[in-house]
Amino acid sequence: MDTATHTHRRRIALLLVLAASATTLGGQRSAPAREPLVIHGANAAEERVIDWSLRRFREAGLDGMPDLEVYLHRSHEGCRNGIGYYLAGRIDLCTKASSEPYQRKYALHEMAHAWTEANTDTAILERFMDIRGIAAWNDRSFDWKQRGTEQAAEIIAWGLGEGVSPWLPDQPEDRELADLFELLTGRQPINGIF
C-alpha cells in the first residue's frame, strides 16, 4: 500500500470516529449554568440598587459572594415584618417606602449576611463578638441590635456604603468601625471616610 492510500484511509477513519462521536455525544447537553444573582419582583430602580450593592462588594475586593436570590416585596410581610431578611442564599427586601440611600444600605446589610456566612471563619467572628461584648451570634431571644450577625452586617454595610450610619447599641468612632470592618473582611472600608 502506498503512502497516499494509507493517508487517505487514516483521514476516512478519523472522519468516521468524529462522526460517531458527534452522533453519540451530540444529544448530551450540559446543564445550564446557575446564575449567581437572580432578582424577583424588582422595578428598574430596585434592580439598580441591587446591582450597585453587589458592585460595592467587588470594588472592596470582597470576593466570594455566594449565589443569591433576591426578592423585592411591596409590604413588610415578605420580610417577616421587617425591612430585610436573609436566610440560606435568599434575600427578601421590603424597602419600597425607603429612600435610595436606605434601600442601598438594606441591600448591603442583607448581602453582608450572605458574604459573612460564606467567607468569615469562626475565630474571626468570636474575636468580633469579644471586642463588641456580644453574647450570641444569632440568638433571637436577644434584641436585634444585640446579635453578632446584625452588628457585623451593619458594620460591613457601613464600610461599603455612602454616608449611612450603622444601627448599633452604641455609636463607635469611625476609626473603631474601620478596624471592625477590617477584622471582619480583611480589607479597608471604601466608604470614603478613610
Side-chain angles (χ1 to χ4, degrees):
M1 175 180 349
D2 66 15
T3 307
T5 304
H6 186 66
T7 302
H8 185 67
R9 284 186 180 171
R10 283 181 130 172
R11 286 184 182 162
I12 291 173
L14 178 61
L15 287 173
L16 290 172
V17 167
L18 289 174
S21 296
T23 302
T24 303
L25 300 175
Q28 296 178 356
R29 294 194 175 140
S30 61
R34 178 160 156 57
E35 291 294 322
L37 176 68
V38 180
I39 302 171
H40 304 273
N43 61 34
E46 291 164 331
E47 284 187 8
R48 285 192 299 274
V49 165
I50 301 301
D51 183 59
W52 177 89
S53 300
L54 197 55
R55 276 196 329 265
R56 295 298 283 184
F57 278 86
R58 287 193 301 264
E59 289 168 8
L62 301 181
D63 299 323
M65 181 66 75
D67 293 350
L68 295 173
E69 289 205 40
V70 180
Y71 291 81
L72 281 289
H73 303 281
R74 301 296 161 229
S75 76
H76 292 266
E77 291 172 7
C79 298
R80 299 185 184 196
N81 292 317
I83 296 171
Y85 192 79
Y86 169 77
L87 181 63
R90 177 181 170 140
I91 292 174
D92 290 283
L93 292 170
C94 299
T95 58
K96 181 182 181 210
S98 301
S99 64
E100 185 176 350
Y102 281 95
Q103 287 178 342
R104 288 177 172 187
K105 175 194 176 11
Y106 302 136
L108 286 171
H109 175 102
E110 299 307 330
M111 287 180 184
H113 285 304
W115 187 89
T116 301
E117 183 178 271
N119 295 285
T120 308
D121 66 38
T122 305
I124 296 294
L125 299 178
E126 289 172 355
R127 184 158 177 241
F128 172 78
M129 289 174 48
D130 286 342
I131 291 168
R132 295 290 299 151
I134 299 168
W137 181 248
N138 197 21
D139 184 338
R140 297 202 176 261
S141 68
F142 286 86
D143 182 59
W144 183 88
K145 286 184 181 182
Q146 300 297 328
R147 293 183 230 148
T149 186
E150 300 303 342
Q151 289 192 32
E154 280 293 296
I155 290 166
I156 291 172
W158 169 85
L160 299 175
E162 296 177 337
V164 179
S165 296
W167 291 346
L168 299 169
D170 60 334
Q171 197 55 25
E173 297 291 325
D174 287 339
R175 179 75 261 156
E176 183 181 349
L177 289 170
D179 291 344
L180 291 167
F181 180 90
E182 187 172 358
L183 170 66
L184 290 165
T185 66
R187 304 288 183 157
Q188 290 290 314
I190 61 168
N191 58 12
I193 294 176
F194 292 97

